[in-house]
Amino acid sequence: MTKVSCIEVRDVSFNYNGNPVLENITFTVEEGEYLGIIGPNGGGKTTLFKIILGLLKPATGEVRIYGEPEPRFGRRHIIGYVPQRAMAEVYFPATVEEIVRSGRTARLGLLKRASKDDRAAIDRAMEITDVTRLKKRLIGELSGGERQRVFIARALASEPKILILDEPDVGVDVTSQEKFYTFIEDLNRNLGITVLLISHDIDVVAHQTKSVLCLNRKLVCHGSPKKFINEEYMQELYGKKVKFILHGH
């Protein structure tokens, strides 16, 4: 079976106020991949996501989505995004169903009324994420793990091919994290959704993802999880010798 590249990042650089944040980043994400992105704070991970999403314009280089240059890509609904600060919305007085429905806007548009197919997609997103039973609850009444499932349901409501998650375990208690990441793995394996995940949890990335991208302004490493689990890469990534324990290794 021929592999399809859904995201191509070519020689991308970016600066904030003249300070380099990303330098000549090049990599490809294949359809159906589960890519984990790790690196220190300030290493450019979230900036990279925003460039892929078209929220920021690179200083040099380009991003292609399914072969099309990102600025001309007209099917943005195929990319679902859960930002790092999604949890800030917990104080917004909206129900779970209303939050999930808002994720359909990317495909539906702002002024069009939801059709039968739109409502079915919203219901399916809640069913997949197991939040249907919570749909009349206010988002602020839920646990951290439940909220993150709601935000993922919102991203799934547009029926995306690609799901981009920026530190999705923020606010999720430790006991719920294993179930949460098993859920993300199921989305990738069972639905065939391409997943890009930023996480500071090296253990999660090592065990859950199919490939890993190590980023510290420059591309340090891109390959299988086993490839980056060594002291040399960790020192280059975090700038000092670090001790880390990977369960099961």
Side-chain angles (χ1 to χ4, degrees):
M1 183 180 294
T2 303
K3 294 182 177 180
V4 177
S5 296
C6 58
I7 299 173
E8 297 171 75
V9 177
R10 301 179 179 177
D11 298 317
V12 164
S13 297
F14 187 84
N15 304 298
Y16 274 128
N17 298 322
N19 298 313
V21 177
L22 295 172
E23 296 183 23
N24 302 317
I25 305 299
T26 296
F27 66 94
T28 298
V29 180
E30 294 175 350
E31 195 170 51
E33 191 170 343
Y34 185 173
L35 174 67
I37 301 177
I38 64 169
N41 289 331
K45 302 183 298 299
T46 296
T47 299
L48 176 62
F49 271 5
K50 289 181 177 180
I51 290 172
I52 291 173
L53 289 161
L55 301 175
L56 293 175
K57 183 180 179 180
T60 63
E62 68 169 358
V63 173
R64 288 179 175 263
I65 308 295
Y66 283 100
E68 296 181 38
E70 194 286 325
R72 296 205 302 268
F73 186 68
R75 297 177 293 148
R76 295 184 185 277
H77 61 269
I78 72 167
I79 304 178
Y81 177 44
V82 180
Q84 187 178 25
R85 302 190 183 280
M87 294 297 282
E89 297 183 27
V90 300
Y91 302 108
F92 190 73
T95 65
V96 167
E97 188 173 20
E98 289 168 338
I99 292 285
V100 177
R101 188 187 301 127
S102 70
R104 191 68 181 174
T105 303
R107 181 182 284 268
L108 179 63
L110 289 173
L111 302 178
K112 293 182 181 178
R113 297 187 65 177
S115 67
K116 182 179 179 180
D117 288 343
D118 294 319
R119 290 191 293 270
I122 293 164
D123 289 342
R124 177 166 166 73
M126 289 191 291
E127 181 181 346
I128 290 169
T129 53
D130 192 28
V131 298
T132 303
R133 58 191 168 82
L134 305 171
K135 66 180 184 178
K136 299 303 180 185
R137 298 269 301 275
L138 292 174
I139 189 70
E141 297 174 350
L142 308 184
S143 69
E146 289 171 337
R147 290 169 191 158
Q148 284 297 62
R149 282 178 176 263
V150 171
F151 297 134
I152 291 172
R154 178 175 63 180
L156 294 178
S158 67
E159 299 176 286
K161 291 185 176 182
I162 302 168
L163 184 61
I164 293 181
L165 307 170
D166 192 348
E167 295 190 53
D169 56 357
V170 173
V172 179
D173 61 90
V174 175
T175 56
S176 299
Q177 283 185 7
E178 184 175 352
K179 289 182 179 180
F180 179 77
Y181 280 109
T182 298
F183 161 67
I184 298 299
E185 188 177 21
D186 286 344
L187 290 179
N188 172 252
R189 183 176 60 247
N190 298 332
L191 298 182
I193 295 175
T194 303
V195 177
L196 280 69
L197 162 77
I198 288 177
S199 178
H200 284 291
D201 192 327
I202 295 174
D203 192 55
V204 164
V205 171
H207 287 90
Q208 294 286 341
T209 63
K210 295 176 182 176
S211 58
V212 176
L213 190 149
C214 306
L215 189 66
N216 187 5
R217 196 171 70 183
K218 298 180 180 180
L219 186 60
V220 175
C221 172
H222 182 206
S224 69
K226 290 182 179 180
K227 182 178 179 180
F228 85 93
I229 303 172
N230 64 64
E231 186 173 325
E232 179 184 348
Y233 281 132
M234 291 298 102
Q235 184 173 352
E236 186 174 353
L237 194 60
Y238 293 99
K240 60 182 179 180
K241 291 187 177 182
V242 293
K243 293 182 179 180
F244 58 97
I245 299 172
L246 295 175
H247 301 291
H249 287 265

